[in-house]
């Protein structure tokens, strides 16, 4: 029940379907959020998500925990699978051309979802940082493509991505500390109440 | 420029994170990560950032997708691990059942063996008892039939019609045996006592009950007569002549 991720991955490598199911339950939603934002197509995203998890099942032995976290590895699979799918369908070129319309979803496509707007700490950053992250992270642009789309030097795009990631990490750390403080206060209050 | 700063500002780490590096660049980056703790720390921070960002932007997946996926996995690759667990679980169950059954039969067998051993011990005791009795009877018979044993019949008025008392007396072996049949039953506080008369003195030779058949009595050399009286339970010092049951004179 409280298996560590390392143990689950070991079981996955041994073709344990329950381990696979656990990983699906944990990572399908975040990955689907990424894929859907990249494709803006629900049916296509579902197909890609299945393909990503089939790759996880069939190539689990290639995952090296010393090199990355499992999510990072899955993110890279999802990103590449989505890019390849869009390339095959010839949609990627259009996306690059339509970068200015990023995240303006066709209402008929997003009908089943509240919104594909970006959520979370990223929204706290300056727009110039949000733009590069949206393109590279949520739209799977390469740095070069993002540089061309935003009409910025490649070095500037890389710097902005680096800065955005660092700032987000700070926010998450702060948020984590805040959550811990809240928990600590709650524990103290309960302790006082009990006794 | 500081080497670490140079690596971090190259943008290679971000590309590596996104999986956009060439194989050569990836190998290079992995070397940097291993070699420089600051680079490694930055890489770990970035990984946490993108995972948290993904969690914050997660979207619910239709339930059917999971079912379809699990079906595809089951069809493509039957789960050996699960199957192995199930098989091993089944085998464990069968083994446990077999052990339980064996334990049950072993316990039953042990109980049966214990009962048989007790029965055997009882039979052995009975057998030894019978053997001893047989040996005694055989000895008595041999004594009675011995040519040097003399037989004397005791008589008395108190005897019933069917009552008999016979003494076998052997001066060679200095042994004596009394055989009785159908002597009148006595009260609970009474017993028969046997006396030998020698030099006009009555000497006790033992006591017995009417239920006995043979009574080994103490031989007395040169005894002149043998007498049976009824006495209080235990043993009297002197015979109660009024209660003389039977007697015989050795002539």
């Amino acid at each position: 029940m409280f298996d560590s991720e390392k143990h689950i991955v070991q079981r996955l490598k041994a073709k344990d379907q329950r381990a696979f199911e656990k990983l699906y339950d944990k990572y399908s939603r975040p990955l689907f959020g990424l894929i859907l934002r990249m494709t803006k197509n629900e049916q296509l995203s579902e197909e890609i998500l299945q393909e990503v998890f089939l790759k996880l099942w069939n190539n689990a032995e290639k995952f090296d925990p010393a090199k990355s976290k499992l999510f990072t590895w899955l993110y890279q699979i999802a990103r590449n699978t989505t890019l390849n799918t869009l390339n095959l369908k010839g949609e990627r070129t259009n996306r690059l051309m339509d970068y200015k319309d990023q995240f303006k979803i066709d209402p008929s496509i997003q009908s089943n979802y509240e919104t594909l707007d970006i959520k979370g700490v990223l929204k706290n950053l300056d727009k110039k940082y949000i733009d590069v992250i949206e393109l590279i992270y949520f739209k799977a642009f390469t740095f070069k493509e993002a540089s061309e789309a935003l009409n910025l030097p490649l070095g500037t795009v890389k710097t902005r991505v680096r800065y955005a990631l660092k700032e987000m990490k700070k926010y998450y750390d702060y948020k984590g500390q805040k959550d811990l403080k809240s928990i600590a206060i709650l524990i103290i209050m309960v302790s006082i109440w009990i006794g | 420029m500081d080497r670490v700063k140079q690596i971090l500002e190259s943008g290679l780490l971000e590309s590596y994170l996104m999986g956009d590096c060439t194989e050569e660049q990836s190998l290079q980056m992995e070397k940097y990560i291993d070699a420089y703790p600051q680079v490694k720390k930055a890489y770990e921070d970035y990984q946490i950032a993108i995972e948290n960002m993904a969690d914050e932007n997660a979207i619910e997946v239709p339930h059917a997708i999971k079912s379809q996926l699990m079906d595809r996995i089951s069809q493509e690759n039957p789960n050996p691990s699960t199957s192995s667990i199930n098989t091993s679980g089944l085998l464990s169950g069968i083994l446990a059942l077999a052990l339980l059954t064996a334990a049950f039969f072993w316990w039953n067998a042990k109980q049966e063996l214990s009962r048989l051993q007790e029965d055997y011990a009882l039979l052995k005791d009975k057998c030894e008892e019978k053997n001893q009795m047989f040996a005694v009877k055989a000895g008595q018979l041999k004594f009675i039939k011995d040519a040097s044993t003399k037989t004397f019949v005791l008589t008395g008025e108190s005897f019933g019609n069917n009552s008999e008392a016979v003494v076998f007396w052997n001066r060679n072996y200095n042994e004596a045996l009394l055989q009785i049949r159908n002597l009148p039953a006595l009260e609970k506080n009474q017993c028969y006592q046997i006396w030998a008369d020698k030099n006009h003195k009555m000497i006790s030779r033992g006591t017995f009950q009417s239920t006995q058949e043979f009574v080994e009595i103490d031989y007395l050399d040169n005894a002149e007569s043998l007498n049976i009286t009824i006495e209080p339970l235990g043993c009297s010092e002197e015979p109660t002549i009024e209660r003389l049951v039977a007697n015989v004179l050795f002539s």
Side-chain angles (χ1 to χ4, degrees):
Chain A
M1 187 175 177
F2 299 106
D3 286 343
S4 68
E5 186 162 290
K6 187 180 172 187
H7 184 227
I8 294 174
V9 170
Q10 282 175 347
R11 285 168 51 202
L12 178 74
K13 288 181 178 179
K15 297 294 180 190
D16 184 339
Q17 288 188 13
R18 282 172 294 185
F20 175 81
E21 199 174 352
K22 281 192 172 188
L23 292 175
Y24 178 88
D25 291 341
K26 185 176 181 184
Y27 293 124
S28 61
R29 291 173 65 257
L31 290 174
F32 190 60
L34 291 168
I35 296 166
L36 188 59
R37 284 182 172 85
M38 289 183 207
T39 65
K40 301 176 192 173
N41 183 313
E42 181 184 338
Q43 191 182 346
L44 186 61
S45 298
E46 290 171 0
E47 288 170 11
I48 293 171
L49 184 74
Q50 288 200 46
E51 200 177 331
V52 170
F53 276 96
L54 284 174
K55 284 179 179 173
L56 169 67
W57 176 252
N58 293 321
N59 300 301
E61 72 283 355
K62 291 181 183 170
F63 170 65
D64 182 356
K67 288 185 178 176
S68 69
K69 285 166 67 75
L70 181 61
F71 179 79
T72 307
W73 192 63
L74 284 171
Y75 165 74
Q76 291 169 353
I77 293 173
R79 190 170 188 270
N80 289 329
T81 306
T82 308
L83 285 177
N84 291 338
T85 306
L86 292 175
N87 280 334
L88 283 173
K89 290 178 177 291
E91 292 183 18
R92 180 154 165 74
T93 312
N94 299 334
R95 297 290 163 86
L96 293 173
M97 297 296 287
D98 297 340
Y99 74 93
K100 285 182 183 174
D101 296 328
Q102 59 187 291
F103 309 114
K104 286 183 182 173
I105 309 299
D106 182 340
S108 64
I109 292 171
Q110 67 166 356
S111 58
N112 290 334
Y113 303 98
E114 285 181 8
T115 177
L116 290 180
D117 287 346
I118 302 301
K119 302 181 181 86
V121 300
L122 182 63
K123 292 180 77 176
N124 296 322
L125 301 182
D126 191 281
K127 189 176 180 308
K128 64 183 178 186
Y129 300 114
I130 296 174
D131 286 344
V132 291
I133 291 294
E134 280 183 337
L135 283 181
I136 291 171
Y137 188 79
F138 288 106
K139 298 194 77 176
F141 279 44
T142 63
F143 284 88
K144 191 167 178 293
E145 289 165 350
S147 163
E148 290 168 359
L150 294 169
N151 198 25
L152 289 169
L154 183 60
T156 305
V157 172
K158 288 182 177 179
T159 305
R160 287 184 183 179
V161 169
R162 185 167 59 254
Y163 178 84
L165 290 172
K166 281 169 69 178
E167 287 302 301
M168 281 193 289
K169 177 65 172 53
K170 281 184 197 171
Y171 274 111
Y172 291 127
D173 287 346
Y174 171 72
K175 193 167 171 274
Q177 286 170 6
K178 207 175 159 184
D179 290 344
L180 278 177
K181 276 182 188 172
S182 303
I183 291 167
I185 290 167
L186 187 67
I187 290 168
I188 291 166
M189 286 175 71
V190 169
S191 303
I192 291 168
W193 182 69
I194 291 171
Chain B
M1 187 186 281
D2 177 71
R3 184 63 181 141
V4 172
K5 194 178 176 188
Q6 197 178 19
I7 295 166
L8 291 175
E9 290 184 356
S10 69
L12 195 60
L13 184 57
E14 290 77 14
S15 298
Y16 179 71
L17 179 73
M18 302 292 170
D20 280 344
C21 285
T22 61
E23 195 172 339
E24 192 183 348
Q25 286 173 326
S26 291
L27 289 171
Q28 188 64 54
M29 201 62 234
E30 283 160 15
K31 282 181 186 172
Y32 291 152
I33 289 168
D34 286 339
Y36 301 105
Q38 286 171 282
V39 178
K40 187 177 183 179
K41 175 73 170 54
Y43 177 55
E44 286 169 355
D45 286 350
Y46 292 172
Q47 290 190 86
I48 291 168
I50 63 164
E51 186 169 351
N52 285 339
M53 191 159 58
D55 282 338
E56 287 177 338
N57 289 277
I59 292 174
E60 208 60 50
V61 185
H63 291 300
I65 302 300
K66 183 178 175 181
S67 307
Q68 289 170 18
L69 193 56
M70 296 308 292
D71 286 347
R72 286 176 73 177
I73 282 170
S74 299
Q75 286 165 8
E76 282 182 17
N77 196 341
N79 190 345
S81 180
T82 304
S83 143
S84 159
I85 286 166
N86 288 340
T87 305
S88 64
L90 184 67
L91 286 174
S92 300
I94 290 168
L95 186 64
L97 191 66
L99 285 172
L100 199 66
T101 308
F104 174 73
F105 280 113
W106 178 81
W107 183 81
N108 265 354
K110 195 180 172 190
Q111 294 292 313
E112 186 63 24
L113 180 66
S114 179
R115 278 196 295 274
L116 287 171
Q117 283 173 334
E118 283 174 13
D119 289 350
Y120 172 74
L122 284 172
L123 282 171
K124 196 177 170 186
D125 287 348
K126 281 182 183 176
C127 194
E128 282 177 3
E129 197 180 325
K130 294 285 179 190
N131 280 340
Q132 283 174 0
M133 283 174 66
F134 176 76
V136 169
K137 295 281 181 190
Q140 289 172 345
L141 186 61
K142 187 181 174 185
F143 176 76
I144 291 167
K145 286 188 173 179
D146 192 278
S148 59
T149 300
K150 291 188 176 177
T151 305
F152 300 95
V153 178
L154 285 84
T155 55
E157 292 178 359
S158 301
F159 268 13
N161 293 333
N162 299 323
S163 298
E164 289 178 11
V166 180
V167 67
F168 303 94
W169 199 263
N170 192 308
R171 293 188 175 94
N172 292 340
Y173 300 139
N174 293 342
E175 287 181 0
L177 181 69
L178 176 69
Q179 182 184 20
I180 51 174
R181 279 181 195 161
N182 304 321
L183 260 62
L186 301 178
E187 293 177 16
K188 286 182 180 177
N189 59 349
Q190 291 178 326
C191 70
Y192 288 105
Q193 189 162 355
I194 190 161
W195 306 87
D197 178 15
K198 186 179 179 180
N199 298 326
H200 307 290
K201 190 177 179 183
M202 299 290 263
I203 302 167
S204 177
R205 297 289 86 192
T207 61
F208 63 92
Q209 292 290 335
S210 60
T211 51
Q212 290 176 260
E213 188 181 0
F214 286 95
V215 182
E216 289 182 10
I217 57 176
D218 294 335
Y219 175 81
L220 183 64
D221 205 15
N222 299 319
E224 295 162 1
S225 69
L226 207 61
N227 307 272
I228 297 172
T229 60
I230 297 172
E231 302 292 339
L233 194 61
C235 185
S236 296
E237 296 288 323
E238 297 290 335
T240 308
I241 301 300
E242 300 80 31
R243 307 204 69 176
L244 180 67
V245 177
N247 70 333
V248 64
L249 291 173
F250 297 138
S251 55

